[in-house]
Amino acid sequence: MHSIGFLVFPGFQVMGFTAVTAFEVANLASERELYRVTLLSETGGHVRSSAGFSVETEAFGDAAFDSLFIGAATEVSATSPAILDYIRRAAKSARRVAAPCTGAFALAEAGLLDGRRATTHWVFARELRDRFPALKVDEDKIFIIDGSIWTSAGMTATIDLALAMIEKDHGEELARTVARKLVVYHRRAGGQSQFSTLLELEPKSDRVQRALDFAGRNLRKIVSVEELAEAASLSPRQFNRVFRSETGQSPAKAVENMRVEAARLMIEDGRHSMDEIAIEVGFADRERMRRAFLRVLGQPPQTIRRNVRAFG
């Protein structure tokens, strides 16, 4: 049985509790207690979350935990000296210490990230890098494992971190089962990017969204502006003007971005060759795909595959 100490503080962000849910589902799926989670705080008792409700906690003391989770917050604030002291002490006996999102700042303040690689939510990455130059921040990763220290991006990346722990502890089959029960993808590798080129489009109207949906369903073939305009119920001239106004991109550039995004996801999945991926997403050959990746992402597909293998 793996004991987990989950450290919270006033104003902690409740999304971090998705890790607790993953461990709970692992117990249910295996029909035995694989994980036991204890909520910890500096003083014990009720601790109020950022969402307004409180949780019951135990005051941290000398109890040893297999894993220590550091809670996250919606903004960066100073960690109390007592919590920093506890983190340093607990890290000496814990097999691993995990910090989703802004929890990385507490680890850095405690000196546990000096000389290590770490990640956090991309919103806070620059601040983490500026405040703690002794660590190596990689904001373009879902999660990073450096020795006994696990850090992850915020929000749903906490689930990826927990699934990776479950897989390491009890194998891929259980981790897949937990992912299915949580209705999430099993599992985004640590080397995956936090960013999505598709999120940058953000169309404002249903008609442009219909055109993007049509392009997404037909990436493998050549999609003309006329076809996209028809999907949007506009003339080609109107469509070009409206599309650029709403997305800031030409239709051709947006389709290329969508192909790159689809190819990146297939590369990160790791089950297809580069030639198969290039054909499947409409690049026709791997050289065209490589050039598109350099234009859109600034790195070739091979680099992304190496990152996933190294950090996934």
Side-chain angles (χ1 to χ4, degrees), residues 117 141 143 145 167 187-193 264 266-274 276-277 286 301-312:
R117 295 176 59 253
K141 296 292 179 289
F143 64 85
I145 305 169
E167 182 173 320
R187 70 172 164 80
R188 294 185 297 176
Q192 282 197 10
S193 173
R264 181 175 66 81
M266 292 182 71
I267 291 169
E268 291 170 344
D269 187 50
R271 293 182 297 175
H272 306 277
S273 70
M274 291 297 186
E276 290 172 329
I277 294 170
R286 61 190 299 168
Q302 292 79 3
T303 298
I304 293 173
R305 174 152 285 177
R306 283 196 299 271
N307 286 341
V308 170
R309 288 172 175 171
F311 308 128

Side-chain angles (χ1 to χ4, degrees), residues 27-265:
N27 290 343
L28 294 172
S30 62
E31 298 183 342
R32 58 194 178 99
E33 191 178 33
L34 300 177
Y35 297 96
R36 180 176 297 170
V37 179
T38 302
L39 297 184
L40 305 169
S41 68
E42 184 174 344
T43 59
H46 288 87
V47 177
R48 189 176 177 87
S49 72
S50 61
F53 60 81
S54 298
V55 296
E56 184 69 25
T57 68
E58 297 180 12
F60 52 67
D62 296 325
F65 294 94
D66 177 71
S67 299
L68 177 67
F69 258 81
I70 312 301
T74 56
E75 59 184 12
V76 178
S77 58
T79 307
S80 75
I83 289 179
L84 292 177
D85 181 63
Y86 174 72
I87 291 173
R88 295 185 189 103
R89 287 188 287 110
K92 294 178 181 179
S93 58
R95 178 165 62 95
R96 60 194 172 202
V97 179
C101 195
T102 58
F105 284 82
L107 291 188
E109 286 185 72
L112 298 185
L113 294 183
D114 289 354
R116 294 183 183 270
R117 295 176 59 253
T119 192
T120 187
H121 193 294
W122 61 269
V123 168
F124 305 110
R126 177 175 293 182
E127 182 177 354
L128 184 64
R129 181 184 295 110
D130 291 345
R131 285 182 55 187
F132 304 100
L135 65 90
K136 301 172 184 177
V137 179
D138 191 342
E139 68 267 34
D140 195 33
K141 296 292 179 289
I142 295 293
F143 64 85
I144 288 177
I145 305 169
D146 189 332
S148 62
I149 305 296
W150 300 50
T151 54
S152 76
M155 301 301 178
T156 59
T158 310
I159 300 176
D160 299 290
L161 187 71
L163 288 173
M165 289 183 172
I166 293 168
E167 182 173 320
K168 188 174 183 63
D169 295 339
H170 300 287
E172 183 176 354
E173 183 176 351
L174 178 60
R176 286 186 180 277
T177 298
V178 173
R180 286 196 298 269
K181 289 182 178 292
L182 292 175
V183 198
V184 297
Y185 179 81
H186 175 82
R187 70 172 164 80
R188 294 185 297 176
Q192 282 197 10
S193 173
Q194 292 187 35
F195 303 101
S196 169
T197 57
L198 298 181
L199 293 178
E200 297 175 0
L201 295 174
E202 295 185 339
K204 298 177 178 63
S205 67
D206 290 342
R207 54 191 178 183
V208 171
Q209 185 60 61
R210 287 198 302 270
L212 290 172
D213 291 342
F214 175 83
R217 294 193 302 269
N218 294 275
L219 287 180
R220 190 166 184 171
K221 71 172 192 175
I222 296 175
V223 180
S224 67
V225 172
E226 288 74 19
E227 289 176 301
L228 293 174
E230 183 179 354
S233 301
L234 294 168
S235 70
R237 183 176 179 180
Q238 288 175 313
F239 175 72
N240 263 308
R241 185 177 67 253
V242 170
F243 192 95
R244 286 178 180 273
S245 174
E246 292 193 14
T247 69
Q249 299 180 15
S250 69
K253 181 63 175 175
V255 171
E256 180 181 70
N257 286 347
M258 293 177 74
R259 288 195 168 110
V260 168
E261 180 79 352
R264 181 175 66 81
L265 292 173

